[in-house]
Amino acid sequence: MTDEQLLGRPVGWWLKEADDRLNAAFDRALECSDVSRRGWQVLSSLSKRPSTLTDLVATLKSFDSPDAIHGVVAELERRSWVHEEDEVLRLTTYGAQMYTDLTPVVDRVRRQVQTALPPDDYINLIRLLARLTEAL
């Protein structure tokens, strides 16, 4: 594509398109486990530290609505991957094993994203997105 063609779409379109494609890549990679990208994000967050549902929603608020996060947590609880006790969510033994099993799958997608650009371009993209975010 020429620069003129690239600039024919606003930055919001490119951000949305990139996000949609990231979601699709994660969905394809995770389909063997029947867990969504949001499910992975809940597992990942809880693997770092147990959390209240309120804190977990705050952590993941830039990814999805509170209702969506509540639904993901409820589904993971139905699968016995997550357990709530005294208002604190924790991974079960099975949930922790699923997190461990899925980590290399997610890492492959992350490497695919990073290798789509030369290392200097990747960090510059992250810096530019951070600047854009801070300016808004």
Side-chain angles (χ1 to χ4, degrees), residues 54-113:
T54 301
D55 289 344
L56 184 63
V57 166
T59 298
L60 300 176
K61 71 181 177 183
S62 65
F63 294 104
D64 227 325
S65 70
D67 286 344
I69 307 274
H70 284 243
V72 169
V73 169
E75 175 60 26
L76 295 177
E77 286 179 308
R78 278 192 289 279
R79 291 181 179 194
S80 298
W81 294 9
V82 170
H83 174 71
E84 183 177 11
E85 186 176 324
D86 298 327
E87 297 185 13
V88 176
L89 295 166
R90 289 180 169 75
L91 294 181
T92 63
T93 301
Y94 187 64
Q97 184 60 54
M98 290 306 297
Y99 170 77
T100 299
D101 292 349
L102 293 173
T103 296
V105 173
V106 170
D107 286 347
R108 277 193 296 277
V109 176
R110 289 177 175 162
R111 278 192 305 278
Q112 180 183 2
V113 170

Side-chain angles (χ1 to χ4, degrees), residues 3-67:
D3 286 352
E4 185 175 297
Q5 290 170 317
L6 291 171
L7 293 172
R9 300 205 186 257
V11 69
W13 184 91
W14 288 107
L15 292 171
K16 179 71 173 122
E17 184 68 12
D19 187 53
D20 287 349
R21 290 186 186 206
L22 278 170
N23 280 328
F26 278 104
D27 288 346
R28 283 190 307 273
L30 293 168
E31 71 185 349
C32 63
S33 64
D34 196 30
V35 67
S36 66
R37 185 178 182 195
R38 297 301 169 258
W40 161 259
Q41 289 167 326
V42 169
L43 292 176
S44 179
S45 295
L46 294 177
S47 75
K48 294 174 179 73
R49 68 177 179 83
S51 177
T52 66
L53 184 55
T54 301
D55 289 344
L56 184 63
V57 166
T59 298
L60 300 176
K61 71 181 177 183
S62 65
F63 294 104
D64 227 325
S65 70
D67 286 344

Side-chain angles (χ1 to χ4, degrees), residues 111 113-127:
R111 278 192 305 278
V113 170
Q114 286 182 315
T115 59
L117 299 170
D120 289 345
D121 286 352
Y122 180 80
I123 190 62
N124 285 335
L125 174 62
I126 299 302
R127 286 182 184 127

